[in-house]
Amino acid sequence: MRMETFIRKSLRLKAHLVVKVEEDEAAGALIIHLDRLGHRRLRCGACGLEAPRVFPTRRPERRWRDLAMREHVTELRYAPHRVWCPGCGVRVERVPWADPWQRVTHALARAVATLARELNWTAVAAHYRLDWKTVAAVVEGAVLWGLAHRRWRPLHVLGIDEVSRRKGHEYLTIVYDLERGRVVWAGRDRTADTMQRFLTWLGRRRARAVHTVCCDMWAVYIDAVRTHLLRATIVFDRFHVTQHLNRAVDDVRRQTWRQMQGREKAEFKRTRFLWLTNPENLQRDERTRLSALLRLNSPIVKAYLLKEDLRRFWHYRSSAWAEGHLRQWLWRAAHSRLAPFKKFARMLRTHLDGVLAWTRIRVTNGALEGMNNKVKIISHRAYGYRTAWTYIVNIYHCCAELPLP
């Protein structure tokens, strides 16, 4: 098979042919010259339909990068024709090997988009010897195509969380499908306008299928779900409740540390891990040290016992028993004379329905937090993104399981 025939078949050319193939030794490139084949019809650049008329005038010669052949960079060169379309008027023809306004072929664009899911864009650009902006344009085009062509299944269980984008309390709101473990929507900020954009995108029909929403205790998320997702039950997952509880224990530990003096303070040093870790996860020597610390007549001991007592709530199977245990715990925390625990008890009372929903709907944001770590890795491997849109595009590309064009 001749080189020209191989290239024509690989590019799937019907109305074009390969005129010649030449090597540029100085640039280490393989130059492929293309032209129109006879009087075959060309397609409109706007609608893609066959154009009945082709003008004799042509646009200046354009260049497209293709997949390299061994160590040689492959470049296509072609001067597009001007065509007349009944619906669109005079347009430049649509070439079959590349998208409009793109300077890389379909094959190279797909290879770039596939590798960009594993590496940062700078590394992808260096691998294919492209400019960083070319890689960004290819990935953005692949994401927009994937969002338009992804197949939808009913959304039943959603997880909503925020991810910090940069310093200065700049966040992205990310919505996950917890049943399938993928991103379904991402938007800038975590305000009411952000949630309104998400709900507008979701639509009334898909909103009726949602029966569970797992989120943290951010008031904006709660109000949006209660207002627009009327059939959904809000569940405050175990991770966020435990996070607030550990923060209260740590605040009591700091207060205790400030009140200690002398030898007692030295023995209390470096015990943060002991107070916050579950007892079954401690080593033998750590459990021995914790047993000695629990003999102290100190507020931190009361805080630790309250923390361990609340852990029992997550293991109840009966909703009635779980609610009784939680209400007793809230009373003890409110009368514990520990300011951080009194504050934590007030927060739980405010969101009691969402916490008790855990006993009926065992949904957790554990998978969501794992995907949040993947989202953060996307930012870390690129050393951050200058714009929120670029970050959102990469989140969709790596975490939404979008189809590639």
Side-chain angles (χ1 to χ4, degrees):
M1 182 185 295
R2 296 195 315 164
M3 176 65 74
E4 291 82 355
T5 306
F6 169 75
I7 295 172
R8 179 175 60 82
K9 289 186 176 182
S10 63
L11 294 177
R12 298 179 181 179
L13 303 181
K14 299 297 183 182
H16 302 82
L17 57 83
V18 179
V19 177
K20 65 176 180 178
V21 180
E22 59 183 7
E23 181 182 2
D24 186 349
E25 296 183 358
L30 201 64
I31 311 300
I32 301 171
H33 296 270
L34 305 174
D35 203 354
R36 183 187 179 193
L37 179 59
H39 296 283
R40 295 195 178 184
R41 287 191 174 185
L42 305 176
R43 294 187 176 274
C44 171
C47 64
L49 299 177
E50 289 188 353
R53 183 180 174 188
V54 179
F55 292 97
T57 56
R58 305 175 70 169
R59 302 297 297 166
E61 185 178 70
R62 297 180 181 176
R63 303 179 180 184
W64 292 266
R65 280 285 307 278
D66 195 13
L67 287 170
M69 292 188 180
R70 297 183 68 84
E71 71 276 4
H72 289 81
V73 173
T74 305
E75 185 178 279
L76 308 183
R77 294 186 181 181
Y78 175 67
H81 288 77
R82 296 169 68 243
V83 299
W84 179 80
C85 176
C88 306
V90 179
R91 298 285 181 176
V92 177
E93 68 165 300
R94 175 177 294 185
V95 296
W97 55 83
D99 291 328
W101 307 108
Q102 287 285 5
R103 289 297 174 262
V104 296
T105 63
H106 292 306
L108 181 56
R110 187 177 182 87
V112 167
T114 301
L115 190 60
R117 286 179 169 172
E118 307 298 333
L119 302 177
N120 64 69
W121 293 354
T122 303
V124 176
H127 180 75
Y128 287 108
R129 288 175 277 186
L130 296 170
D131 187 78
W132 185 91
K133 293 182 180 179
T134 303
V135 176
V138 168
V139 173
E140 182 177 356
V143 167
L144 293 176
W145 188 92
L147 290 174
H149 292 83
R150 62 178 168 179
R151 297 182 62 182
W152 278 112
R153 295 180 180 178
L155 300 174
H156 299 302
V157 184
L158 297 181
I160 306 176
D161 204 359
E162 75 277 354
V163 174
S164 177
R165 186 176 78 85
R166 60 189 299 177
K167 293 181 180 179
H169 296 285
E170 293 191 22
Y171 295 94
L172 299 180
T173 295
I174 303 180
V175 182
Y176 299 90
D177 179 1
L178 294 183
E179 285 186 322
R180 301 175 183 89
R182 64 180 181 180
V183 173
V184 296
W185 190 86
R188 188 174 181 177
D189 297 328
R190 54 171 184 169
T191 61
D193 292 338
T194 306
M195 292 303 298
Q196 185 60 46
R197 292 199 304 272
F198 162 67
L199 293 166
T200 301
W201 168 86
L202 185 66
R204 293 183 178 179
R205 183 177 180 180
R206 284 201 293 259
R208 287 197 294 266
V210 179
H211 59 69
T212 304
V213 176
C214 192
C215 62
D216 57 16
M217 298 179 185
W218 184 243
V220 172
Y221 298 159
I222 298 171
D223 294 341
V225 172
R226 288 177 175 170
T227 304
H228 299 279
L229 303 179
L230 302 179
R231 299 184 180 182
T233 301
I234 298 177
V235 179
F236 300 124
D237 71 304
R238 179 175 179 173
F239 172 84
H240 285 97
V241 175
T242 304
Q243 186 181 43
H244 287 290
L245 176 63
N246 287 342
R247 195 172 298 163
V249 175
D250 203 39
D251 289 342
V252 175
R253 182 191 63 84
R254 290 193 181 98
Q255 294 173 4
T256 305
W257 165 263
R258 298 188 191 101
Q259 296 171 0
M260 287 182 172
Q261 294 179 354
R263 181 179 177 183
E264 191 179 33
K265 194 170 186 177
E267 294 177 354
F268 196 76
K269 191 175 182 180
R270 297 179 179 176
T271 60
R272 180 174 183 269
F273 178 80
L274 300 179
W275 299 114
L276 301 182
T277 306
N278 295 335
E280 61 270 17
N281 296 330
L282 294 175
Q283 301 295 329
R284 179 177 296 180
D285 57 337
E286 293 172 338
R287 287 198 295 268
T288 302
R289 188 182 182 192
L290 178 63
S291 299
L293 291 171
L294 289 175
R295 297 189 183 97
L296 298 175
N297 185 14
S298 176
I300 185 60
V301 176
K302 185 188 295 184
Y304 179 80
L305 295 177
L306 285 171
K307 176 184 83 80
E308 290 301 311
D309 191 29
L310 185 59
R311 285 182 60 208
R312 294 171 51 200
F313 167 78
W314 306 110
H315 302 289
Y316 277 104
R317 295 186 178 182
S318 169
S319 299
W321 282 92
E323 182 177 358
H325 175 78
L326 183 59
R327 291 188 182 278
Q328 289 180 4
W329 188 92
L330 289 173
W331 187 90
R332 291 197 299 272
H335 294 78
S336 64
R337 299 182 182 179
L338 300 176
F341 273 81
K342 293 167 72 174
K343 179 181 177 181
F344 176 69
R346 287 194 299 269
M347 183 189 69
L348 282 190
R349 287 186 188 278
T350 306
H351 305 90
L352 193 60
D353 292 340
V355 178
L356 290 174
W358 160 265
T359 60
R360 296 179 286 105
I361 308 171
R362 301 265 174 174
V363 176
T364 178
N365 263 11
L368 187 150
E369 295 301 327
M371 287 185 282
N372 271 359
N373 290 334
K374 185 176 181 180
V375 168
K376 293 173 185 176
I377 289 173
I378 293 171
S379 178
H380 292 165
R381 74 187 184 192
Y383 298 98
Y385 292 94
R386 188 168 296 178
T387 63
W389 170 244
T390 307
Y391 193 13
I392 290 172
V393 165
N394 218 348
I395 291 172
Y396 275 128
H397 189 56
C398 299
C399 303
E401 298 180 3
L402 299 178
L404 292 177

